[in-house]
Amino acid sequence: MNHTMPIQSRGASARGLLSRIRAISAVGFLCAACASLGACTGEQFQKGYILPDGALEQIPIGASQDQVLIVLGTPSTVATLDGEVFYYISQRTSRPVAFMNQHVIDQRVIAVYFDKNRQVRRLANYGLKDGKIFDFVSRTTPTSGQEMSYLTPLFKLLSFN
């Protein structure tokens, strides 16, 4: 018994196999391209101080400077305006694709103001709202003076643009 295929049949079978191999290769290439592009998608970055959830609620007016240090940790910078002020500075940025420039999503400066007895006099959570420095705790824009002259360079320093 002769089990050989006719020549025409073998050619058609080889062409079918070749087209299946090409289809599998194309699918494999497409999957590899999607995976590599997926690695280039948006990223977010946190720089500076990360405020723990509920931390500001743990610092009542009149709390000691030591209590602030225990709850919030070491400040990013300290100033002596009218008493002492601890500043905790942070910035969140993102970029849609890995090789593009970052743009600022949020900037925050948490300020803890102390009186002469080193007790909390006031808390402020400054950020940018409509291009102006805004206190998210008291919901006000600070007026010009010593405080604004110190906060403005901090925000400009954080900004990449």
Side-chain angles (χ1 to χ4, degrees), residues 37-141:
L37 286 176
C40 295
T41 59
E43 299 174 282
Q44 284 196 4
F45 303 94
Q46 173 75 41
K47 298 171 185 164
Y49 182 76
I50 299 173
L51 180 67
D53 290 335
L56 291 180
E57 289 79 24
Q58 295 179 34
I59 303 171
I61 302 300
S64 71
Q65 200 171 62
D66 289 337
Q67 184 177 350
V68 171
L69 289 170
I70 290 169
V71 173
L72 296 179
T74 305
S76 304
T77 189
V78 176
T80 53
L81 297 173
D82 183 25
E84 199 166 26
V85 184
F86 286 0
Y87 291 102
Y88 297 87
I89 304 166
S90 69
Q91 183 181 68
R92 280 188 315 140
T93 60
S94 74
R95 61 181 173 196
V97 181
F99 55 85
M100 294 182 77
N101 289 333
Q102 297 178 22
H103 66 279
V104 176
I105 297 172
D106 188 30
Q107 291 184 142
R108 295 292 170 143
V109 175
I110 297 166
V112 183
Y113 298 90
F114 297 97
D115 60 18
K116 303 286 185 200
N117 298 325
R118 299 183 143 209
Q119 293 182 325
V120 175
R121 174 173 47 110
R122 183 167 77 95
L123 289 170
N125 184 355
Y126 297 110
L128 290 178
K129 183 175 179 182
D130 302 326
K132 297 186 186 242
I133 298 174
F134 182 79
D135 181 4
F136 286 91
V137 173
S138 68
R139 305 240 177 246
T140 59
T141 303

